[in-house]
């Protein structure tokens, strides 16, 4: 009997102890971590999911640096989250490795990736998204805007939404932004296309290519979905990123006061832009007030602006400031060109249009070259100059393929005109 009572006492003690442990655990505080699945944020609503998104917190104004060198320069004085999470630009900087964790520390800019694509591009853009997500965005979760002149189908939406770590948005382009303006002579435009087709000029007979160039030149940044953002990163189907990106390029643009950036530059096909510079000179004469005091005319012209040397930044990669593109100087420039009809009477590309605008309407210090963002779009490669940089960024590009310092590239000219120091080792990559 005594043994039985003792056994009951032990059971009671064990029960009390167990209840105490459960009470302690259930009342302990812990931080939950939400892992985005990428499957529940597809939206065509411009305001979807905005209320709780830290990227939409008001941005603190930052001082613009006095000068910018070839490295991504940011102000020494920072505040808020920016000061607590300084940009790690080189392997010697603090938090270089910390930047690779997910999610990355630091603030987010009001920025988005943007892609113009057709439904048939779904698997090519899927490849590009994986490149961007694996090398950068899986740690930053920026949004992605997809634009199309036709409605996106469910396959395109499902595939792209499953791959993007931020929110995805899908917009249909208005007809007036993807059609011939009323002042275009259709017969004249048709004859131009037929002539270019006979001369085998690339995209010379394409109507859709001309609509695309005009759209990218003057309308993508004014689409309703894009009006929610201040910065954009343009991504094309079937591109490749060869290296890790340790820092946030949007922050580099914001904190460095940059308006436009590039990784590749080259000479445009002269047969497609015969009168583009004539239209540009007319604009400069009519709007001298829009020309920047310290512009990069030397990048565009070898004779002080009399003729165009055809140098341009390759716009299939660009990170830029949307508010600059929406500004009166840029809009006046685009509308002046648009009225002249060269998008249809010739085959003006958006790359020379963006480049001429940046070269004339911005100060040289507003334009940035990203040496450490390694990029490929058929047929050109930008592979970071400098072995130390390539190894630190885990690059898999062949430096001998780097186009930057070849004879047909304009990047060397950009460095000379802006007074920047070329990356160490550039001489060994020349022709």
């Amino acid at each position: 009997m005594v043994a039985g009572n003792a056994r009951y006492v032990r059971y009671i003690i064990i029960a009390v102890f167990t209840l105490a442990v459960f009470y302690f655990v259930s009342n302990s505080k812990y931080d939950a971590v939400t892992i985005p699945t990428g499957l529940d944020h597809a939206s065509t609503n411009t305001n979807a999911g905005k209320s709780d998104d830290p990227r939409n917190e008001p941005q603190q104004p930052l001082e613009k640096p006095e000068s910018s060198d070839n490295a991504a320069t940011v102000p020494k004085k920072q505040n808020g989250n920016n000061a607590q999470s300084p940009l790690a630009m080189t392997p010697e900087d603090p938090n270089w490795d910390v930047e690779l964790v997910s999610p990355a520390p630091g603030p987010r800019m009001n920025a988005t990736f943007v892609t113009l694509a057709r439904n048939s591009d779904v698997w090519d853009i899927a490849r590009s998204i994986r490149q961007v997500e694996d090398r950068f965005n899986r740690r930053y979760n920026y949004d992605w805007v997809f634009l199309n002149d036709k409605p996106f189908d469910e396959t395109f939406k499902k595939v792209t939404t499953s791959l993007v770590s931020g929110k995805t948005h899908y917009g249909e382009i208005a007809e007036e932004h993807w059609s011939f303006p009323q002042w275009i002579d259709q017969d004249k435009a048709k004859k131009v296309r037929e002539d270019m087709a006979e001369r085998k000029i690339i995209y010379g007979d394409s109507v859709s290519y001309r609509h695309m160039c005009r759209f990218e030149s003057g309308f993508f940044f004014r689409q309703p979905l894009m009006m929610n953002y201040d910065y954009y990163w343009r991504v094309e189907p079937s591109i490749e990123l060869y290296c890790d990106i340790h820092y946030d390029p949007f922050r580099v643009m914001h904190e460095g006061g940059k308006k436009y950036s590039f990784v590749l530059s080259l000479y445009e096909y002269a047969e497609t832009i015969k009168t583009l510079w004539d239209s540009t000179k007319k604009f400069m004469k009519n709007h001298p007030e829009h020309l920047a005091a310290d512009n990069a005319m030397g990048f565009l012209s070898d004779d002080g602006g009399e003729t165009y040397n055809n140098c341009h930044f390759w716009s299939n990669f660009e990170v830029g400031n949307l508010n600059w593109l929406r500004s009166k100087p840029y809009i006046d420039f685009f509308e002046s060109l648009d009225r002249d009809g060269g998008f249809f009477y010739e085959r003006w590309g958006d790359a020379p249009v963006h480049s001429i605008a940046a070269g004339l309407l911005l100060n040289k210090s507003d334009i940035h070259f990203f040496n450490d963002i390694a990029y490929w779009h058929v047929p050109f490669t930008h592979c970071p100059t400098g072995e130390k940089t390539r190894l630190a960024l885990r690059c898999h590009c062949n430096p001998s393929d780097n186009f930057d310092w070849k004879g047909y590239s304009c990047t060397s000219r950009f460095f000379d005109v802006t007074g920047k120091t070329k990356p160490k080792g550039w001489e060994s990559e020349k022709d």
Side-chain angles (χ1 to χ4, degrees), residues 108-148:
R108 301 294 187 264
M109 300 299 100
N110 186 25
T112 185
F113 293 95
V114 60
T115 292
L116 178 64
R118 300 160 296 188
N119 287 312
S120 59
D121 294 323
V122 61
W123 301 114
D124 292 327
I125 195 59
R127 169 184 170 182
S128 299
I129 294 171
R130 280 308 305 256
Q131 295 284 323
V132 172
E133 289 290 332
D134 292 349
R135 289 297 197 174
F136 169 72
N137 201 44
R138 64 184 175 84
R139 303 189 304 277
Y140 291 88
N141 312 135
Y142 279 109
D143 291 358
W144 208 303
V145 171
F146 297 95
L147 301 172
N148 190 354

Side-chain angles (χ1 to χ4, degrees), residues 237-273:
S238 297
I239 61 97
E240 186 160 0
L241 295 181
Y242 290 112
C243 306
D244 287 341
I245 301 173
H246 277 245
Y247 57 81
D248 185 348
F250 293 125
R251 276 188 67 187
V252 171
M253 300 295 288
H254 179 70
E255 296 177 18
K258 307 296 181 182
K259 302 294 192 302
Y260 190 84
S261 67
F262 72 103
V263 294
L264 283 165
S265 69
L266 64 155
Y267 293 94
E268 178 62 301
Y269 190 2
E271 288 297 308
T272 66
I273 54 167

Side-chain angles (χ1 to χ4, degrees), residues 116 148-150 172-186 189 193 206-220 223 334 338-339 341-345:
L116 178 64
N148 190 354
D149 64 309
K150 300 288 191 299
E172 184 175 353
I173 299 166
E175 183 179 359
E176 60 267 26
H177 294 167
W178 197 274
S179 59
F180 291 96
Q182 61 182 7
W183 57 85
I184 294 298
D185 183 330
Q186 294 286 346
R193 296 194 301 273
S206 175
V207 174
S208 62
Y209 188 83
R210 287 172 167 81
H211 288 323
M212 181 274 291
C213 290
R214 180 171 179 257
F215 175 78
E216 294 284 21
S217 295
F219 299 111
F220 88 90
Q223 297 303 293
F334 167 73
D338 199 27
R339 278 285 171 181
F343 290 107
F344 301 102
Y345 298 148

